[in-house]
């Protein structure tokens, strides 16, 4: 186990000194930075920190990769597809690097926290000048300084499971913000690479989280999502007698009009105590993303998930009893090694029983270094694909029904962006996080509005402002 600590003021100060040094180095050159993020919200939050540092150092952000002097890909390792796309994108940049040798191409995130990928990039992707892992993120200013001043390539995937407080952050436009409350994962689900690339669980101190929330609310953010790989085990490492339910209650007491969301939860740690806190806290949105992965107890056992389909059902019954109308979503893996037709039927049965509002379904992707990658896997890709499609079809039918039930309802919405079509020019979210397209007079992004649902489709509700 690696030790976990808060990065000292002295070390952070050192990085701020490097930020000044980079700023000095690039002064007057009007350099531009482009970033692209693969994967989960945690990665998006990490990119916002890097953008914050880049901004602080004097880089201007650009959406046009061809015009960028600094290009960063923040990568994901959860499934092979994400890795392939990252490699494809970097490969395509060799052309740009030839045309403009001064451009700095950087890679960070989960994919480069694995030795085999680092070797591959060293050997076959010479255009990558700077590479740093998830543990080195806070050292970005010194790494960038070296990339700008040294001839050699800079690779840093070392570091322990630290927490760095006080880094600058450049958030996206709009009323939504991420707030990381913890990092890493201790669960070691047998299919998952995350514990290997993001290290052990470490929680930020509650007062730091509250401080950041207050700043976000003061800055006008209306929807704040608390992030962690398994938020339900928040606080276990702090020795402070504070758990996730306590944290929710504390954050709910922060003054202001906003919704709090959180993700991701693990069924083995989600508890009646958590649902009581959610039900009591007015600002905590009545929405729960609770991945169950499989409806078969045998598969769950081999995934090392440490709950059963029955205990999962009981959790949902409790959540719905305490919060009628709560929106539910889940993640499912289809085709885990050794999965049979009968196992799959149990997953389907759970989906039919619970009637989720939204599902994220994934075909199992072997990750080298995880236990499941060595398990026997007799089902054919065709079989797995057929199961996958049956699942999608079943879920589409459920969603169509659930969406139709909103017809005519008047609901509170948060307007969060502009829509493509002219008839309903804005997008919004319900408290349950359902997507809505809205029309009406005097609508502004960032407003909470009351609106009535006029029609529904599979992916969207359509509403008119009251
Ligand atoms: N293959 C397919 N899906 C995976 N997930 C995690 N690891 C894998 C894998 N090896 C899915 C899980 C998790 C979500 C974030 O990604 O469903 O909840
Ligand atoms: Fe991966 Fe399981 Fe941890 Fe989620 S809880 S990040 S699926 S190991």
């Amino acid at each position: 186990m690696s030790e976990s600590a808060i990065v000292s003021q002295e070390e952070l100060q050192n990085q701020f000194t490097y930020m000044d040094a980079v700023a000095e180095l690039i002064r007057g050159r009007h350099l531009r930075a482009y970033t692209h993020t693969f994967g989960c919200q945690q990665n998006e939050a990490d990119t916002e920190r890097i953008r914050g540092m880049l901004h602080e150092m004097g880089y201007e952000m650009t959406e046009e990769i061809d015009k960028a002097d600094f290009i960063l890909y923040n990568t994901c390792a959860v499934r092979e597809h994400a890795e392939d796309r990252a490699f494809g994108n970097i490969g395509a940049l060799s052309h740009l690097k030839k045309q403009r040798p001064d451009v700095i191409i950087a890679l960070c995130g989960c994919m480069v926290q694995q030795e085999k990928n680092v070797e591959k990039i060293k050997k076959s992707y010479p255009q990558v000048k700077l590479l740093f892992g998830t543990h080195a993120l806070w050292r970005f200013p010194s790494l960038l300084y070296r990339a700008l001043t040294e001839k050699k390539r800079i690779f840093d995937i070392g570091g322990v499971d630290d927490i760095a407080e006080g880094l600058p952050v450049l958030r996206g436009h709009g009323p939504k913000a991420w707030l990381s409350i913890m990092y890493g994962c201790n669960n070691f689900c047998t299919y998952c690479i995350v514990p290997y690339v993001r290290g052990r669980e470490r929680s930020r101190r509650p007062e730091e989280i509250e401080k950041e929330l207050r700043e976000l609310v003061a800055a006008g953010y209306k929807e704040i999502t608390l992030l962690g790989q398994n938020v339900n085990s928040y606080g276990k490492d702090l020795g402070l007698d504070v758990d996730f339910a306590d944290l929710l209650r504390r954050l709910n007491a922060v003054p202001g009009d906003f919704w709090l969301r959180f993700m991701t939860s693990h069924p083995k740690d989600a508890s009646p105590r958590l649902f009581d806190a959610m039900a009591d806290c007015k600002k905590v949105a009545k929405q729960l993303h609770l991945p169950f992965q499989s409806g078969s107890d045998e598969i769950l056992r081999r995934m090392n998930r440490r709950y059963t389909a029955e205990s999962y059902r009981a959790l949902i019954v409790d959540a719905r009893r305490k919060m009628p109308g709560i929106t539910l979503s889940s993640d499912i893996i289809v085709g885990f090694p050794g999965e049979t037709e009968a196992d799959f039927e149990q997953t389907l049965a759970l989906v039919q029983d619970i009637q989720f509002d939204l599902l994220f379904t994934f075909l199992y992707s072997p990750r080298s270094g995880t236990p499941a990658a060595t398990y026997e896997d007799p089902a054919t890709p065709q079989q797995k694909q057929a199961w996958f499609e049956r699942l999608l079809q079943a879920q589409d039918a459920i969603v169509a029904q659930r969406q139709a039930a909103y017809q005519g309802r008047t609901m509170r919405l948060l307007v969060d962006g502009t829509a493509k079509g002219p008839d309903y020019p804005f997008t919004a979210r319900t408290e349950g996080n359902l997507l809505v397209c809205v029309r009406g007079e005097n609508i502004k992004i960032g407003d909470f509005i009351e609106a009535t649902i006029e029609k529904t489709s599979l992916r969207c509700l359509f509403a008119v402002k009251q």
Side-chain angles (χ1 to χ4, degrees), residues 9-34:
Q9 275 305 317
E10 209 180 330
E11 282 183 289
L12 266 187
Q13 200 44 55
N14 189 26
Q15 293 304 317
F16 278 98
T17 307
Y18 273 110
M19 275 192 224
D20 293 341
V22 172
E24 196 49 45
L25 205 61
I26 69 168
R27 191 184 304 282
R29 285 164 63 188
H30 304 292
L31 297 188
R32 282 175 277 206
Y34 168 94

Side-chain angles (χ1 to χ4, degrees), residues 128-335:
V128 175
K129 166 87 179 185
L130 168 62
L131 179 151
F132 57 101
T134 54
H135 298 302
L137 186 136
W138 61 272
R139 287 196 293 276
F140 176 63
S142 57
L143 295 171
L144 179 61
Y145 182 81
R146 289 179 56 201
L148 285 163
T149 54
E150 295 178 19
K151 267 214 142 45
K152 65 172 193 282
R153 304 168 79 191
I154 315 292
F155 283 44
D156 181 353
I157 58 162
V160 291
D161 298 346
D162 282 331
I163 294 183
E165 294 290 357
L167 295 178
V169 51
L170 185 62
R171 293 191 157 87
H173 300 297
K176 300 180 181 186
W178 310 120
L179 205 181
S180 297
I181 62 164
M182 61 189 299
Y183 306 94
C185 181
N186 290 356
N187 290 316
F188 290 95
C189 301
T190 56
Y191 51 81
C192 185
I193 197 74
V194 168
Y196 304 90
V197 293
R198 282 203 173 263
R200 294 297 67 73
E201 280 173 5
R202 53 232 188 259
S203 305
R204 291 178 68 194
R205 299 183 65 84
E207 62 274 18
E208 293 285 354
I209 298 169
E210 183 185 327
K211 182 166 155 260
E212 190 170 345
L213 176 65
R214 284 180 183 272
E215 287 164 4
L216 290 170
V217 173
Y221 288 97
K222 297 289 167 51
E223 180 191 298
I224 293 106
T225 303
L226 310 177
L227 292 182
Q229 250 75 39
N230 174 16
V231 292
N232 303 134
S233 61
Y234 172 80
K236 283 185 184 165
D237 56 318
L238 285 176
L240 287 178
D241 200 21
V242 47
D243 68 6
F244 185 57
D246 298 325
L247 181 72
L248 278 184
R249 288 184 192 276
R250 177 173 178 156
L251 299 181
N252 183 65
V254 169
D257 191 12
F258 58 90
W259 279 333
L260 276 175
R261 303 188 191 280
F262 58 87
M263 68 188 305
T264 292
S265 296
H266 193 305
K268 84 173 165 54
D269 300 311
S271 62
R273 195 177 135 74
L274 167 68
F275 300 150
D276 288 336
M278 286 178 76
D280 288 348
C281 293
K282 210 168 156 280
K283 292 170 191 167
V284 174
K286 303 303 175 269
Q287 176 226 332
L288 183 65
H289 181 64
L290 195 61
F292 73 85
Q293 313 296 359
S294 169
S296 152
D297 289 346
E298 175 55 18
I299 297 291
L300 286 173
R301 192 184 62 72
R302 284 198 280 129
M303 287 176 161
N304 189 29
R305 292 287 291 177
R306 289 172 277 173
Y307 54 85
T308 62
E310 214 34 59
S311 65
Y312 185 87
R313 280 188 171 84
L315 275 177
I316 300 296
V317 168
D318 189 48
R320 280 191 165 140
R321 188 174 59 80
K322 289 171 180 160
M323 294 168 280
I326 185 171
T327 306
L328 295 172
S329 58
S330 195
D331 294 347
I332 299 178
I333 296 178
V334 174

